Amino acid sequence: MATNTCTTCGCKKCGCSDNALVSPAPCPTPAGCPDPIACSEVFDAECVVYTGLDIECIDQVVVETDTNLADALNDIITFFCEFITGPDLGSVVEVCDTNNYLDITSETDPETGVTTYTICFDPTQLPVVALASGTGISVTSNVVGNTTTYTVTNTDRGSLQNIFKNIAVAGQNTVIADSNNDTLTFVAGTGISITTNNITDQITITNSLAASAAKKYADLPTIPAAGSVVVAHNLNTTDVVVSVIDDNTNIALVHGVDYVWATTGLNTISVSDAAFGGGAVRVTVIG
């Protein structure tokens, strides 16, 4: 950093006089001062010394106190020239044909020690991100300024999965799942108990009545086509459950579709043909 080099300064100011003028009368009295005469001043820069605090740029001192004006100007010019040409900023950016989007190379001058960094990029090699929607998936985008937001949505939440959505019983309304987490509830009827095991995922349906409470008729009553038959039992109740099996095919008939039944007394029920067509059946009454 330069210091004051002025040792023998014959400093002079130009000859501007501040004495009173002869004509007109000296001002401010009586009145009418003339326009001031232009006066320039020439000085030796080495004779003017800066005595303020050190002049700094961030953490570097550019001009020290007690530096003459000539050296101070040289210090300022030197600082900025070194900053502009310094090795930290000796970089060149160029657009060039490269196999990569971005290449960075460096080269150091052995004489000056200056390292030049070359940043080479090829806009045609910019990576492209493409989002494709698969089966049951949709992809939408929303651009706001320089930001693009992608939204991925599941548009098929079950039709391609191996699941049951509908539970159908002949002659009854179909039970349809209303959502992915809908619940199917089993209700135990007369003489039936239902238990579940959440560990083994099992549902057990059991006849809760004693075996003697059920009467099975082996005489194989025959239901006339489009007619009905009365079946007697000894349960002394109208709160009974009836099942009917086709004796020829050993297939259970469906109440409300193949046949209908109704209680007619404490120990009697009637079984009527609906679409069965008549024939021998096996009737079980549980109460």
Side-chain angles (χ1 to χ4, degrees):
M1 193 66 61
T3 57
N4 184 16
T5 58
C6 179
T7 55
T8 57
C9 300
C11 302
K12 293 183 179 181
K13 293 184 177 181
C14 65
C16 297
S17 177
D18 55 1
N19 295 331
L21 299 178
V22 175
S23 178
C27 57
T29 58
C33 291
D35 294 334
I37 301 174
C39 177
S40 61
E41 185 174 2
V42 179
F43 60 87
D44 189 338
E46 293 185 351
C47 297
V48 179
V49 178
Y50 169 72
T51 59
L53 298 175
D54 291 347
I55 300 176
E56 299 180 353
C57 178
I58 307 177
D59 59 348
Q60 298 186 47
V61 177
V62 181
V63 177
E64 295 179 342
T65 187
D66 294 330
T67 300
N68 67 67
L69 186 57
D71 291 339
L73 291 174
N74 286 329
D75 289 341
I76 294 173
I77 297 301
T78 301
F79 175 81
F80 283 104
C81 287
E82 290 179 351
F83 179 79
I84 293 175
T85 60
D88 290 340
L89 296 180
S91 302
V92 176
V93 179
E94 60 177 301
V95 178
C96 55
D97 185 11
T98 177
N99 292 328
N100 300 316
Y101 172 67
L102 182 67
D103 284 332
I104 301 177
T105 59
S106 63
E107 183 178 356
T108 302
D109 189 328
E111 296 183 359
T112 64
V114 174
T115 300
T116 299
Y117 296 89
T118 301
I119 303 175
C120 180
F121 70 96
D122 185 354
T124 62
Q125 300 297 326
L126 180 65
V128 177
V129 178
L131 298 181
S133 58
T135 303
I137 298 296
S138 69
V139 179
T140 59
S141 62
N142 182 37
V143 180
V144 178
N146 294 327
T147 302
T148 301
T149 302
Y150 295 93
T151 302
V152 180
T153 305
N154 178 6
T155 58
D156 191 342
R157 301 182 179 181
S159 66
L160 295 181
Q161 302 175 33
N162 296 324
I163 60 177
F164 290 104
K165 181 179 180 180
N166 303 318
I167 306 296
V169 176
Q172 302 294 313
N173 295 330
T174 299
V175 178
I176 302 174
D178 298 316
S179 63
N180 285 351
N181 60 349
D182 203 359
T183 301
L184 175 66
T185 303
F186 292 85
V187 178
T190 302
I192 298 296
S193 68
I194 302 176
T195 58
T196 62
N197 188 321
N198 63 308
I199 304 300
T200 60
D201 296 332
Q202 291 179 329
I203 299 174
T204 302
I205 301 175
T206 305
N207 176 12
S208 60
L209 298 178
S212 61
K215 184 176 181 181
K216 183 175 181 180
Y217 295 89
D219 54 354
L220 302 177
T222 299
I223 303 176
S228 63
V229 65
V230 175
V231 178
H233 60 82
N234 59 0
L235 301 177
N236 295 317
T237 180
T238 59
D239 187 12
V240 295
V241 177
V242 176
S243 65
V244 178
I245 298 176
D246 185 345
D247 189 59
N248 294 319
T249 63
N250 202 35
I251 296 176
L253 302 181
V254 179
H255 173 65
V257 177
D258 299 318
Y259 76 97
V260 292
W261 71 270
T263 57
T264 57
L266 289 177
N267 291 296
T268 58
I269 63 170
S270 67
V271 181
S272 303
D273 175 37
F276 166 54
V281 294
R282 296 197 304 271
V283 178
T284 302
V285 181
I286 299 175

